[in-house]
């Protein structure tokens, strides 16, 4: 079944070229599998690479960008649909609403913010959409270790690991996105009793 896949990734122009190439590979695979793309609406760096590759393969692309970043990230005017929002919060809500699954590539604090918000919401049972991290070079390995430590110390429940997939290859990432995943099942009553 075709999915609208939201890809969270970098818009920084100063990163190693291999991450831009990774984003292009993701766009290629997304199109090959018949999915559509929801992205942050920028045309530079990884954000632009994933959208260009997806379109080149025939995929529909939707870019969502806040007014304040339209000039900084250079809006992807070639998107099949470009949505300009008043602010970042509205942008994330619109991206979430339009997406069936989430794929997280290496990125900075903006990407991490998006990851944590969607991961937390999945853990709480607020959605049952797949959340997958694609990290072939180990950029997020310190984060993974941090989260393991937080789990061991009781700051995070073990259920957080049921809410996310961690992969090192593009094909494996899409396999996980396409696989039907059960809801986490943590109710708001459960949440009221203990922090994540």
């Amino acid at each position: 079944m075709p999915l609208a896949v939201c890809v969270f990734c970098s818009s920084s122009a100063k990163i190693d070229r291999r991450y831009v190439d990774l984003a292009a590979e993701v766009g290629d695979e997304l199109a090959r599998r018949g999915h559509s793309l929801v992205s942050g609406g920028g045309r530079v760096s990884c954000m632009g690479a994933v959208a260009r590759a997806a379109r080149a393969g025939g995929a529909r692309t939707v870019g969502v960008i806040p007014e304040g970043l339209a000039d900084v990230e250079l809006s992807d005017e070639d998107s099949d649909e470009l949505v300009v929002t008043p602010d970042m919060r509205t942008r994330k809500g619109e991206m979430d609403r339009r997406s069936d699954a989430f794929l997280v590539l290496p990125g900075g604090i903006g990407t991490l913010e998006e990851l944590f918000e969607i991961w937390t919401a999945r853990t709480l049972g607020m959605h049952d959409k797949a959340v997958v991290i694609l990290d072939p070079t180990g950029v997020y390995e310190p984060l993974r270790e941090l989260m393991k430590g937080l789990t061991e110390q009781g700051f995070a429940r073990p259920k957080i690991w049921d809410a996310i997939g961690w992969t090192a290859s593009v094909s494996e990432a899409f396999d996980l996105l396409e696989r039907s995943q059960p809801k986490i099942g943590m109710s708001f009553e459960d949440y009221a009793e203990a922090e994540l």
Side-chain angles (χ1 to χ4, degrees):
M1 183 177 87
L3 299 171
V5 178
C6 182
V7 176
F8 295 136
C9 60
S10 178
S11 61
S12 172
K14 297 184 178 181
I15 59 172
D16 191 297
R17 179 71 201 181
R18 64 185 162 163
Y19 299 112
V20 178
D21 293 341
L22 174 66
E25 185 181 349
V26 165
D28 289 339
E29 186 69 5
L30 178 143
R32 190 184 72 75
R33 293 189 185 218
H35 303 311
S36 62
L37 173 71
V38 177
S39 76
R43 69 173 189 242
V44 298
S45 190
C46 296
M47 204 180 290
V50 69
R52 283 189 299 277
R55 279 193 296 274
R60 174 172 161 58
T61 63
V62 177
V64 185
I65 193 165
E67 291 173 358
L69 290 182
D71 291 333
V72 176
E73 292 185 352
L74 302 175
S75 298
D76 183 9
E77 301 292 341
D78 293 327
S79 292
D80 294 296
E81 183 179 358
L82 183 63
V83 180
V84 180
T85 64
D87 53 45
M88 288 289 280
R89 289 181 185 272
T90 309
R91 175 202 215 180
K92 288 190 296 180
E94 189 66 16
M95 291 171 77
D96 296 353
R97 185 182 72 76
R98 289 170 172 265
S99 302
D100 300 314
F102 301 90
L103 180 58
V104 184
L105 306 186
I109 60 171
T111 304
L112 286 173
E113 181 204 15
E114 292 162 336
L115 163 62
F116 276 115
E117 184 169 328
I118 209 68
W119 188 3
T120 300
R122 171 89 199 264
T123 302
L124 293 174
M126 294 177 172
H127 71 83
D128 61 356
K129 302 172 184 180
V131 180
V132 173
I133 292 175
L134 172 57
D135 186 22
T137 61
V139 168
Y140 287 135
E141 201 52 41
L143 171 64
R144 193 174 191 175
E145 291 304 312
L146 171 65
M147 296 310 296
K148 284 180 182 176
L150 292 175
T151 305
E152 289 165 2
Q153 294 179 67
F155 290 109
R157 291 178 152 214
K159 284 186 178 185
I160 68 169
W161 300 104
D162 297 333
I164 197 162
W166 218 287
T167 67
S169 77
V170 173
S171 60
E172 183 185 8
F174 277 96
D175 288 346
L176 282 177
L177 290 172
E178 293 169 350
R179 192 174 302 146
S180 176
Q181 296 184 18
K183 292 184 178 181
I184 297 306
M186 182 178 182
S187 68
F188 287 102
E189 292 77 22
D190 293 335
Y191 179 67
E193 294 175 11
E195 289 185 346
L196 291 175

